[in-house]
Amino acid sequence: MTSLAPSAPSEGRAARRRAAQQAAKRARNRTGSRGRGRRRRRPASGGPVVVASRLGGELFITLGLVMLLFVVYQIWYTNFLADRTAQDAAGSLQQNWESGGDGTAGTAGTAAPPVSAFEPGQGFAILHIPKLDVKVPVAEGISKPKVLDKGLVGHYDGGENSVKSAMPSDVQGNFGLAGHRNTHGEPFRYINRLVPGDKIVVETRDTYYTYETTSQLAQTSTKNVSVLKPVPEGSGFTSAGRYITLTTCTPEFTSTYRLIVWGRMTAERPRSQGAPPELASP
């Protein structure tokens, strides 16, 4: 009987394979240990100066975005809302007048109320400045929340610590108006461009009143109420008449001073005769 013995060459190859595998494993272990050691030595989030600079940068970015949104709101969105409000108000006034109303929503066929009956914030006329393509309702009072910030022009009625000015229908007097120059519809944005001879038309339930621009005051104090007197000081008028005064803030985007524009009434036209030539479509 023949016996079988292990092959020497086979045992040698197996030993070499095991040795190579163990050497490769030791090499991998050494590489991993060095990598972990390097990661442990690297700072996780930087020093205090680095952290502070990062936080400061993020804060400035956030503040910049907030300011940008505020500017967009003030310059664009308030104009959008005010323009829509003013257009709706002008349309409602004209429809009410055509139906025989007195200018107060929901009433028709009744007599026009006296001047004292207009409530603060109530619209009673429409101001047209053809050269500037302005068509904006006129409301009683100069309250910012009730009138000006809605994109309307306000009549100086004696409230809000203002001077009481005349109405267009008065035999004599100065019809004083205030409006925003920037934001909230900015109806008086470009009244500084008016020159002598430019027309201003006030439309009411019964009548169109046409004024002609005569002069302006580029800058005066916010407390200078003499510009609203029946014979406004600085206007060049020297005797009683039927005048209009437009007031707004200046310089632009500030309320430091007031810009004033004056005009004199030159024509009075019943609504039954249609709009005056100044408002005719080109």
Side-chain angles (χ1 to χ4, degrees):
M1 183 176 68
T2 304
S3 61
L4 298 176
S7 172
S10 297
E11 289 181 357
R13 283 195 297 269
R16 286 194 296 273
R17 281 197 300 270
R18 286 194 297 271
Q21 290 171 354
Q22 290 174 355
K25 184 176 181 180
R26 286 193 297 271
R28 286 195 300 270
N29 290 338
R30 286 195 297 271
T31 302
S33 299
R34 287 196 296 271
R36 286 192 295 271
R38 283 195 296 270
R39 284 195 293 270
R40 284 195 297 270
R41 288 191 297 271
R42 185 181 300 121
S45 58
V49 175
V50 174
V51 173
S53 64
R54 288 175 181 171
L55 291 175
E58 292 174 359
L59 178 60
F60 280 120
I61 292 173
T62 302
L63 289 175
L65 290 174
V66 170
M67 292 179 65
L68 177 62
L69 291 174
F70 178 74
V71 170
V72 170
Y73 169 79
Q74 282 286 77
I75 295 179
W76 180 81
Y77 193 63
T78 62
N79 283 341
F80 170 77
L81 291 179
D83 285 341
R84 187 170 63 181
T85 300
Q87 290 174 10
D88 290 345
S92 296
L93 273 175
Q94 290 178 318
Q95 289 177 6
N96 196 263
W97 293 335
E98 291 170 1
S99 66
D102 62 5
T104 304
T107 62
T110 59
V115 173
S116 59
F118 290 121
E119 298 293 331
Q122 179 183 348
F124 64 87
I126 297 175
L127 177 71
H128 301 264
I129 308 178
K131 179 179 180 178
L132 306 180
D133 195 27
V134 168
K135 176 184 177 182
V136 58
V138 179
E140 190 75 338
I142 58 170
S143 165
K144 290 188 66 177
K146 291 182 179 179
V147 179
L148 303 183
D149 286 355
K150 291 184 177 180
L152 311 181
V153 167
H155 168 239
Y156 285 94
D157 64 344
E160 299 279 331
N161 297 319
S162 71
V163 173
K164 183 174 179 60
S165 67
M167 284 297 224
S169 57
D170 291 343
V171 176
Q172 290 182 345
N174 182 15
F175 183 43
L177 301 176
H180 277 308
R181 192 174 187 190
N182 300 109
T183 72
H184 298 92
E186 50 196 35
F188 284 177
R189 173 77 181 270
Y190 299 114
I191 64 171
N192 61 308
R193 298 181 180 179
L194 294 176
V195 298
D198 289 335
K199 303 300 182 180
I200 300 171
V201 179
V202 177
E203 176 185 1
T204 68
R205 191 193 75 158
D206 301 311
T207 309
Y208 288 97
Y209 300 93
T210 300
Y211 298 82
E212 185 176 281
T213 302
T214 57
S215 60
Q216 69 171 256
L217 181 59
Q219 181 175 297
T220 189
S221 167
T222 59
K223 298 179 180 179
N224 182 11
V225 297
S226 67
V227 299
L228 295 167
K229 286 184 175 181
V231 182
E233 294 183 7
S235 64
F237 302 136
T238 57
S239 60
R242 301 174 75 177
Y243 307 123
I244 190 170
T245 301
L246 310 181
T247 70
T248 193
C249 296
T250 196
E252 289 196 61
F253 298 102
T254 74
S255 57
T256 307
Y257 302 102
R258 293 292 180 267
L259 166 68
I260 313 296
V261 174
W262 288 290
R264 182 198 306 269
M265 189 182 295
T266 57
E268 187 174 340
R269 182 188 183 98
R271 282 182 63 85
S272 59
Q273 296 182 11
E278 292 79 11
L279 300 185
S281 300

